[in-house]
């Protein structure tokens, strides 16, 4: 994917030309199909207090200099344009009067959505906390439709439960969805890491319902697993893996009518959660027969300095009976893309059943929402 900055066609317009009411009715950013690609024109209307504006996100990226918008002379209008050679979709924010330096925590607290863009993801970071404000993300679709935005993000039958681990000596939230009553047939299981993300931002329960109604997957129990310290637990941590195998999975089997066959059990996660799904399944294929890794951070693993640990693990161990759906985005960091690509090729070379997809975006909830459906169907349909 080739993305580059181009001069905004609006840079020489006057304040009168940039009519706010007219642009508001059309919405922003403007998408323009040209002969050799697609142009994306970001526009922000400031006021006399606006000293700078940056557009940041999965696209056009998180570099301040790259996202710095240009003020039209004699106006309060700020513009920035890019051209891409293929369609893309991405979330993004505006950072106004950005003087936060290297303090990204402060910057993230002050990012705002695009006031003129009606395309937004709205979700709670903690769905059970009615006092917490919703998170909002603007997204742009440059000739790249996001079909999952038509799937609702709320499901009243999702249950939150606090789980205490004796092995790890800590507690965490579980997000549980068990929608379908079965008497004789044990249900499939999908365990998702960073479970809170798979409640509203990624409406996993609604996606499970949709796939089941269409006959694409069997009855499936979802258990979302949060972490009090994800950078430690979701990083090739054997103690955490022991918690999953020795405490959580037996608890699931005792509480629900679920299959014990590994081919009916999937581990799922995005980013570090994808790494954790890979690591846990490869080490315990007798328990977990499926991996759904979305932008998996396979270039990271704290237990050693080998950034391609998955490649070397697969090459050095006998082939495991694990089925894998994995993906990464064309706008993600080079190291992550390379690690995923090499892992996929190594899996193929060693006889694994695996599907790898590249999507037209970055490290982004928007795309993890879109590809969760594809991955779950691939793993459980006629499996």
């Amino acid at each position: 994917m080739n993305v580059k900055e181009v001069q905004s066609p609006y840079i020489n317009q006057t304040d009168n030309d940039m009519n706010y009411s007219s642009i508001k009715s059309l919405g922003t950013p403007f998408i323009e199909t040209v002969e050799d690609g697609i142009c994306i024109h970001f526009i922000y209307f400031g006021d006399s207090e606006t000293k700078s504006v940056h557009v940041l996100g999965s696209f056009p990226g998180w570099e301040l200099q790259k996202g710095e918008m240009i003020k039209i002379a004699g106006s309060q209008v700020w513009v920035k344009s890019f051209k891409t050679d293929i369609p893309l979709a991405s979330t993004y924010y505006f950072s106004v009067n950005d003087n936060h330096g290297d303090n990204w925590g402060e910057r993230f607290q002050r990012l705002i959505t695009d006031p003129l863009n009606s395309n937004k993801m709205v979700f709670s970071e903690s769905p059970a906390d009615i006092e917490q404000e919703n998170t909002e993300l603007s997204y742009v679709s440059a000739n790249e439709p996001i079909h999952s935005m038509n799937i609702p993000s709320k499901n009243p039958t999702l249950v939150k439960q606090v789980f205490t681990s004796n092995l790890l000596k800590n507690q965490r939230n579980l997000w549980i969805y068990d929608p379908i009553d079965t008497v004789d047939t044990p249900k499939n299981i999908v365990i998702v890491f960073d479970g809170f993300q798979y409640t509203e931002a990624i409406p996993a329960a609604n996606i499970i319902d949709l796939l089941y109604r269409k006959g694409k997957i069997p009855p499936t129990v979802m258990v979302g697993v949060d972490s009090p310290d994800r950078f430690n637990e979701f990083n090739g941590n054997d103690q955490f893996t022991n918690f999953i195998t020795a405490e959580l999975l037996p608890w699931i089997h005792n509480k629900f009518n679920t299959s014990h066959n590994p081919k009916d059990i999937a581990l799922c996660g995005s980013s570090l959660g994808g790494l954790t799904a890979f690591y846990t399944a490869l080490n315990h294929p007798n328990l977990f027969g499926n991996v759904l890794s979305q932008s998996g951070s396979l270039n990271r693993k704290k237990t050693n300095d080998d950034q391609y640990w998955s490649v070397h693990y697969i090459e050095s161990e006998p082939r495991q009976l694990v089925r894998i759906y994995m993906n990464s985005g064309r706008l993600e960091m080079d190291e992550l893309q390379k690690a995923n690509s090499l892992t996929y090729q190594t899996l193929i070379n060693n006889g694994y059943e695996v599907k790898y997809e590249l999507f037209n975006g970055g490290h982004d909830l928007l795309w993890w929402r879109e590809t969760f459906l594809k991955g779950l169907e691939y793993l459980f349909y006629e499996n």
Side-chain angles (χ1 to χ4, degrees):
M1 177 181 284
N2 181 24
V3 179
K4 63 181 180 180
E5 182 180 349
V6 294
Q7 180 171 306
S8 172
Y10 309 104
I11 194 64
N12 294 319
Q13 294 191 4
T14 66
D15 202 10
N16 291 333
D17 292 331
M18 297 297 288
N19 183 280
Y20 179 85
S21 59
S22 174
I23 291 176
K24 184 178 181 180
S25 67
L26 295 172
T28 59
F30 292 159
I31 307 300
E32 177 188 15
T33 301
V34 295
E35 184 176 346
D36 55 346
I38 304 165
C39 288
I40 304 168
H41 305 297
F42 293 98
I43 301 173
Y44 180 82
F45 285 81
D47 55 31
S48 60
E49 300 299 316
T50 307
K51 306 304 179 187
S52 69
V53 184
H54 294 76
V55 56
L56 302 169
S58 167
F59 169 82
W62 294 101
E63 299 177 28
L64 284 179
Q65 184 176 0
K66 184 176 181 179
E68 186 174 7
M69 299 182 72
I70 301 169
K71 184 180 179 182
I72 296 177
S75 77
Q76 298 297 334
V77 183
W78 301 75
V79 295
K80 190 80 168 180
S81 295
F82 297 89
K83 187 168 76 172
T84 172
D85 58 338
I86 60 175
L88 66 78
S90 175
T91 54
Y92 69 97
Y93 303 89
F94 288 133
S95 182
V96 180
N97 294 337
D98 191 309
N99 58 0
H100 310 305
D102 294 330
N103 189 341
W104 280 90
E106 181 72 18
R107 180 172 289 110
F108 277 121
Q109 289 183 18
R110 298 181 182 276
L111 295 173
I112 64 171
T113 56
D114 186 341
L116 300 182
N117 186 355
S118 61
N119 291 327
K120 287 182 172 61
M121 292 178 64
V122 182
F123 55 90
S124 174
E125 296 280 1
S126 182
D129 186 353
I130 60 174
E131 296 183 356
Q132 182 167 323
E133 292 185 5
N134 282 338
T135 295
E136 291 192 6
L137 300 173
S138 295
Y139 71 90
V140 56
S141 175
N143 297 1
E144 180 69 75
I146 301 296
H147 302 289
S148 64
M149 293 309 297
N150 297 322
I151 299 173
S153 300
K154 304 278 186 180
N155 197 300
T157 60
L158 198 66
V159 176
K160 174 188 172 185
Q161 179 160 339
V162 177
F163 191 95
T164 300
S165 169
N166 294 322
L167 286 175
L168 297 177
K169 296 180 173 51
N170 62 18
Q171 291 184 326
R172 72 198 61 241
N173 291 334
L174 300 181
W175 304 93
I176 302 166
Y177 189 59
D178 180 28
I180 302 154
D181 290 328
T182 60
V183 178
D184 300 322
T185 305
K187 304 169 195 176
N188 285 21
I189 303 170
V190 56
I191 297 173
V192 295
F193 301 111
D194 289 319
F196 71 94
Q197 285 191 161
Y198 291 80
T199 56
E200 293 183 9
I202 304 168
N206 302 80
I207 290 171
I208 288 170
D209 272 355
L210 177 65
L211 290 173
Y212 174 72
R213 290 198 307 270
K214 290 186 173 183
K216 300 294 187 180
I217 65 171
T220 298
V221 174
M222 181 194 82
V223 179
V225 183
D226 287 352
S227 173
D229 185 8
R230 70 187 296 274
F231 288 101
N232 178 46
E233 291 188 342
F234 292 179
N235 212 353
N237 186 320
D238 289 321
Q239 289 182 314
F240 181 77
T241 299
N242 290 340
F243 154 69
I244 296 295
T245 59
E247 288 186 316
L248 182 64
L249 186 61
W251 178 84
I252 294 171
H253 285 315
N254 288 333
K255 189 172 180 65
F256 305 100
N257 177 25
T258 51
S259 172
H260 289 247
N261 191 327
K263 77 178 184 66
D264 299 328
I265 304 174
L267 295 175
C268 168
S270 54
S271 193
L272 284 174
L275 161 62
T276 303
F278 251 103
Y279 187 77
T280 304
L282 288 179
N283 279 277
H284 297 277
N286 59 313
L287 299 176
F288 308 105
N290 302 278
V291 171
L292 202 172
S293 174
Q294 301 174 280
S295 301
S297 299
L298 301 183
N299 54 311
R300 297 184 58 180
K301 181 170 171 288
K302 77 176 182 65
T303 50
N304 57 45
D305 296 327
D306 181 6
Q307 75 174 134
Y308 300 124
W309 68 269
S310 55
V311 171
H312 300 142
Y313 184 96
I314 296 163
E315 289 177 335
S316 63
E317 297 291 329
R319 181 177 71 88
Q320 312 292 356
L321 295 179
V322 177
R323 196 179 197 195
I324 298 165
Y325 171 88
M326 57 191 298
N327 62 32
S328 65
R330 290 185 170 90
L331 290 177
E332 299 202 69
M333 66 171 66
D334 292 341
E335 293 85 353
L336 185 145
Q337 287 191 59
K338 184 175 181 181
N340 275 270
S341 178
L342 287 173
T343 299
Y344 166 68
Q345 193 57 58
T346 307
L347 288 165
I348 290 293
N349 292 343
N350 285 270
Y352 280 79
E353 187 174 357
V354 56
K355 183 174 184 178
Y356 180 47
E357 292 187 328
L358 281 169
F359 54 79
N360 295 336
H363 208 67
D364 202 324
L365 277 166
L366 185 71
W367 279 102
W368 303 336
R369 176 189 181 109
E370 185 77 354
T371 59
F372 178 78
L373 183 149
K374 294 181 181 180
L376 196 62
E377 180 179 351
Y378 171 75
L379 294 175
F380 281 167
Y381 185 47
E382 296 183 350
N383 188 2

